[in-house]
């Protein structure tokens, strides 16, 4: 998997689209054992994608049909087994920093592995916890990955922090949808969820990069999840990502998982539901994310297609 003895091969995949020009591109290094943290960051910065994924062998105990141990000593959910030969530690880097979890790079890495190992279950040990992924190949050749998030949570956002976020975005408070209260939502990474009252408000995004970045660092946010509800199960979303060094993330699986947990927690969707999130249209990179909620299971499933670039 290496192009030279010292430089691992860097693959390029897009996630949440079957078109290489759509969705969200990610770098994927399937064997990152030779890279230290600085070198991983340098690869991600050189690519310039919102995130890249770096894989190594599994942590002790995770690649074991009897194992129940997650990364960093965390207990894996009951019944979670690491498939032998299909379990990996995965790390994610933006051009500016490491992030604890990234959905689109998870999908990209899973599709890349499936092309080499075949479809089936995978298990990724992330900094946020163990993330199972199931990869399927459809009759038309489309490869689709479904990740299962760590357990989500939702917390209040302080009035002053909300006011600062709106000021950075240049959004009047009156442009928010009152049916969707602002919250910080987590399903592996933290995201501030703000709902626009209209599609026009969502489409008009020109924000103060430095000001929003400073707030996001203070609140430990990965993106701001901006949403507009078209129908009971169809949402349009955008994700400013200044802390990663890019203006906007084209398709954000981690934020989709967090939004699913948020929408269920606040009773905005049924406990058992399938949601469609459309993202990237305003950037010219349309993608589609499927968010599945299951009654009795707090975790969120996010699905999407992936394809190699070039």
């Amino acid at each position: 998997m290496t192009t030279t003895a010292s430089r691992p091969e860097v693959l390029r995949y897009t996630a949440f689209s079957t078109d290489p020009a759509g969705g969200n591109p990610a770098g994927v290094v399937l064997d990152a054992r030779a890279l230290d943290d600085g070198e991983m960051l340098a690869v991600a910065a050189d690519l310039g994608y919102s995130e890249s994924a770096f894989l190594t062998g599994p942590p002790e105990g995770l690649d074991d049909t009897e194992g129940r141990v997650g990364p960093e000593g965390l207990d894996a959910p009951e019944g979670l087994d690491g498939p032998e030969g299909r379990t990996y530690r995965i790390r994610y880097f933006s051009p500016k920093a490491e992030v604890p979890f990234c959905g689109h790079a998870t999908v990209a890495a899973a599709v890349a592995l499936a092309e080499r190992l075949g479809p089936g279950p995978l298990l990724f040990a992330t900094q946020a916890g163990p993330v199972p992924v199931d990869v399927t190949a459809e009759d038309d050749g489309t490869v689709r990955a479904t990740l299962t998030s760590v357990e989500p949570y939702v917390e209040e956002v302080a009035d002053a922090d909300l006011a600062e976020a709106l000021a950075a975005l240049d959004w009047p408070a009156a442009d928010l949808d009152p049916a969707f209260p602002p919250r910080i939502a987590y399903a592996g990474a933290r995201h501030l969820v703000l709902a626009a009252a209209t599609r026009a408000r969502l489409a008009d995004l020109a924000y103060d990069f430095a000001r929003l970045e400073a707030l996001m660092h203070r609140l430990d946010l990965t993106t701001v999840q901006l949403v507009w509800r078209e129908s009971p199960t169809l949402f349009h979303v955008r994700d400013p990502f200044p802390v990663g060094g890019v203006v906007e993330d084209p398709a954000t699986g981690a934020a989709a998982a967090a939004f699913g947990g948020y929408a269920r927690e606040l009773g905005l969707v049924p406990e058992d539901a399938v949601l469609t999130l459309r993202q990237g249209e305003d950037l010219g990179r349309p993608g589609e994310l499927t968010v599945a909620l299951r009654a009795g299971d707090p975790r969120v499933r996010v699905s999407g297609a992936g394809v190699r670039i070039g």
Side-chain angles (χ1 to χ4, degrees):
M1 295 183 187
T2 59
T3 54
T4 70
S6 59
R7 184 71 169 180
E9 182 181 10
V10 181
L11 307 173
R12 293 164 174 80
Y13 280 77
T14 197
F16 301 116
S17 176
T18 58
D19 181 354
N24 196 352
V28 178
V29 178
L30 294 180
D31 184 357
R33 290 174 296 175
L35 300 178
D36 62 24
D37 291 9
E39 289 168 329
M40 292 183 199
L41 181 60
V43 168
D46 183 59
L47 283 172
Y49 297 152
S50 54
E51 278 107 356
S52 294
F54 299 84
L55 281 63
T56 58
E60 183 179 354
L62 201 62
D63 192 7
D64 184 341
T65 56
E66 299 300 325
R68 296 291 187 274
V69 180
E72 309 302 332
L74 298 176
D75 290 336
E78 182 65 27
L80 178 62
D81 298 329
E84 186 174 358
R86 300 176 66 94
T87 302
Y88 300 85
R89 180 182 292 279
I90 187 169
R91 297 175 67 184
Y92 311 95
F93 284 82
S94 77
K96 294 182 71 172
E98 185 171 11
V99 298
F101 176 64
C102 172
H104 87 273
T106 297
V107 169
V111 171
L113 285 170
E115 290 181 351
R116 290 151 179 80
L117 304 177
L122 298 162
L123 183 60
F124 290 136
T126 78
Q127 287 189 1
V131 174
V133 183
D134 188 55
V135 187
T136 59
E138 301 177 357
D139 292 341
D140 63 359
T142 300
V143 180
R144 186 173 299 274
T146 300
L147 67 87
T148 299
S149 77
V150 299
E151 189 165 337
Y153 67 75
V154 178
E155 65 182 43
E156 300 276 349
V157 56
D159 290 344
D161 293 331
L162 174 60
E164 178 63 11
L166 293 176
L169 291 167
D170 195 23
W171 279 26
D175 284 356
L176 295 177
D177 184 344
F180 288 76
R183 293 290 189 274
I184 293 172
Y186 170 91
R190 289 163 56 86
H191 308 265
L192 174 60
V193 179
L194 299 175
T198 66
R199 182 68 178 90
R201 171 71 278 175
L202 185 69
D204 183 14
L205 181 62
Y207 67 92
D208 186 324
F209 190 96
R211 189 172 183 177
L212 189 60
E213 180 183 22
L215 175 67
M216 292 172 67
H217 278 302
R218 182 161 60 79
L219 298 181
D220 190 27
L221 301 176
T222 297
T223 75
V224 178
Q225 172 85 330
L226 305 174
V227 307
W228 174 71
R229 187 176 201 167
E230 179 177 332
S231 74
T233 60
L234 175 60
F235 297 83
H236 296 258
V237 301
R238 302 185 73 173
D239 282 79
F241 187 35
V243 295
V246 296
V247 173
E248 184 176 353
D249 203 24
T252 317
F259 177 73
Y262 156 92
R264 178 174 54 193
E265 176 74 17
L266 273 64
L268 302 169
V269 298
E271 185 179 0
D272 203 60
V274 177
L275 313 177
T276 299
L277 275 58
R278 291 182 179 161
Q279 189 173 355
E281 294 173 347
D282 298 291
L283 290 174
R285 295 194 64 94
E288 184 170 291
L289 303 85
T290 302
V291 175
L293 307 172
R294 296 182 182 177
D297 187 346
R299 298 173 299 167
V300 180
R301 289 158 177 83
V302 177
S303 303
V307 65
R308 188 163 182 174
I309 300 171

